[in-house]
Amino acid sequence: MTKRCFIIGHPVGHSRSPLIHGHWLAEHGLAGSYERVEVPPAEVPGFIARLRTGEFAGGNVTVPNKETVLPLLDKVSRTARMMGAANTLWMEDGRLHGDNTDAYGFLAHLDACVPGWAGRSGTALILGAGGAARAVIHGLTERGVRRILLVNRSPERALELAAAFPKAVEARRWQDIAVLVGESDLIVNTTSLGMHGQPPLEIDLSGLRSGTIVDDIVYVPLETPLLAEARRRGGIQVDGLGMLLHQAVPGFERWFGVRPQVTAALRAKLEADIPAV
Ligand code: ATR
């Protein structure tokens, strides 16, 4: 039987996940499909009911439905519960399961780019306090990063997210970023700033220490102005595309029973789809 998988979102047309899963299906010679399905939040319960009929083996959930699906699932992983959001769904023994693989994707790409990064990341600085920041902080705390400084445009969201990780995370002020940069071994941008079509991320990196890891989860453009500036100052760049690729691995394995690899060929395919801006 040909297995069908999906990505639901609103809008969903921009998603590059079909490119990733299509590549792996072809690579492994599997008869399956991975389809974009436009599902506005109000239609999520109806779509979940369709899943229970066995129409799909599973799929991904993207903005704005990651939180909406959570109360509709039968079994939610510990990570998805902590995130308050699921991005990967699958049917197992007649029950609908949900997990969140964003933290896994973030960590797997960081591991691939900078082996041993956790041992040298005593202090991390996170920009932004949305869902992506929550996933990144979850990942960093799992790997034992002891001190995480969190800054956000809206300070109340930084305080709220910091309160969810009281041992490791301290909320700091956005206007103090220039000083915090100099204290940090790892800096992660989780905001949309610097993305093509969004305002620039204007922060002062003059205090960046050589060898500091700078990770931008934005991947359009592939080398964001933040990453370019970090490179000029001797920082180690980690781009956002790898997180997208790696977060897809656990889902594909669940649905098709094969653990796929993030290869140079896959990366090249995605890079070719990203506009040079
Ligand atoms: P996601 O789930 O992808 O993290 P989100 O929850 O919408 O998305 O969070 C977006 C992040 O980008 C937030 O930290 C947001 O800051 P606010 O909490 O103050 O909204 C940040 N962000 C978006 N646009 C911004 C801007 N123009 N300046 C500063 N931060 C911005």
Side-chain angles (χ1 to χ4, degrees), residues 63 67 127-133 151-155 157 174 190-193 198-199 217:
V63 180
E67 292 82 13
L127 314 181
V151 295
N152 193 50
R153 172 182 59 180
S154 319
R157 279 186 95 191
W174 184 273
T190 74
T191 74
S192 48
L193 297 176
Q198 298 290 322
I217 73 162

Side-chain angles (χ1 to χ4, degrees), residues 164-188:
F165 300 89
K167 284 202 195 111
V169 182
E170 302 165 29
R172 295 296 189 89
R173 300 187 316 167
W174 184 273
Q175 54 268 43
D176 293 337
I177 287 178
V179 177
L180 303 176
V181 160
E183 290 180 32
S184 304
D185 310 295
L186 167 65
I187 299 171
V188 187

Side-chain angles (χ1 to χ4, degrees), residues 231-252:
R231 180 164 49 79
R232 281 193 287 275
R233 294 183 178 277
I236 300 172
Q237 287 186 331
V238 178
D239 70 40
L241 181 59
M243 177 176 173
L244 175 74
L245 300 174
H246 283 280
Q247 63 77 33
V249 169
F252 189 92

